[in-house]
Structure formats: structure tokens, C-alpha cells
Amino acid sequence: MTGPLFIGTPFMFLMSIVYSTYLVGPSALVGSLVILLFYPIMGVIAALTAILRLRVVTLTDKRVTMMGEIINSMRLIKMYAWEIPFIQRVEEVRKKEIKELRKSALMQSLSSTISPSITIVAGFATFLSMTLAGR
């Protein structure tokens, strides 16, 4: 379903560069360059977010599996009074999970902050280059 976007996006970007250069002048190329430079940055952030989410899913699966084993073996754990060691194991995995969740949330908030500001930075760079060029 995203195939047309991959085909059409370069064409639309090229057309927007041509039109903005026609309207504003060569200073528009600076803004377009800023937008192009943000793509690799956003790609790195997206890749890091995906890696962190995979870690979180792995830790969550480990914790849920551990809890299932504990519930299935409840009588044995109670009989030998192993509650505290099992609680500590679950809490240790949960702490790791929360740590990775926080990292993932940080990356997502960074992405949510940067994405809308790309056009603002590009516009600022365009007008700054226009001002420095004397237009």
C-alpha cells in the first residue's frame, strides 16, 4: 500500500524544489537541503526505536513466561518458601523492562519533537540565507 508513496515522493519533492526556487529564488535550495539532511537523522532515530522496542518485547515475553511458570508451580514455591527469590527474579526482569521502555519512550518523544520542527528549521534556514544574500 505504500508503494505509490515511494514512487511519488521523489517526484513531489523535486517539484516542490523547482516551485519554491521559482517563488523564492536560490535561497529555497538551502531549505530543501535542510529537509534532505533530516531524513538520515529520522532514519537513525526510527532504527533505534525499533531496536529498543524489540528489546522491550523480549523482556516482556521473558517476564510473562516467568510469571506463568510461577503460577503453574505455586504449590511447590509455597511448600519450600521460595517466594522471595522468585519475587526478586521477577522484579529484576521488570526493572530491565522499565529501563528499556523509558529509552524507547525517549526516542519516540525525540522523533515526535523533531518531525514537526523540520519545516520550521527549513523555513528559518531559507529566510536566513535570503537575508544574508541581501534579498
Side-chain angles (χ1 to χ4, degrees), residues 26-96:
S27 300
L29 296 174
V30 174
S32 301
L33 182 66
V34 167
I35 290 173
L36 277 176
L37 291 177
F38 269 105
Y39 277 109
I41 293 169
M42 293 306 293
V44 168
I45 290 174
L48 286 175
T49 302
I51 290 169
L52 289 171
R53 290 300 300 162
L54 183 63
R55 287 183 191 170
V56 168
V57 168
T58 304
L59 287 170
T60 302
D61 184 48
K62 183 178 178 182
R63 182 180 53 84
V64 168
T65 303
M66 189 182 302
M67 287 302 298
E69 291 172 357
I70 289 172
I71 290 170
N72 289 334
S73 306
M74 190 62 73
R75 286 186 181 177
L76 188 64
I77 292 171
K78 289 278 190 187
M79 187 170 64
Y80 290 107
W82 289 339
E83 293 95 346
I84 306 252
F86 277 94
I87 288 172
Q88 290 171 344
R89 286 178 53 199
V90 171
E91 285 177 348
E92 180 182 319
V93 173
R94 181 66 181 151
K95 284 179 186 176
K96 289 179 186 176

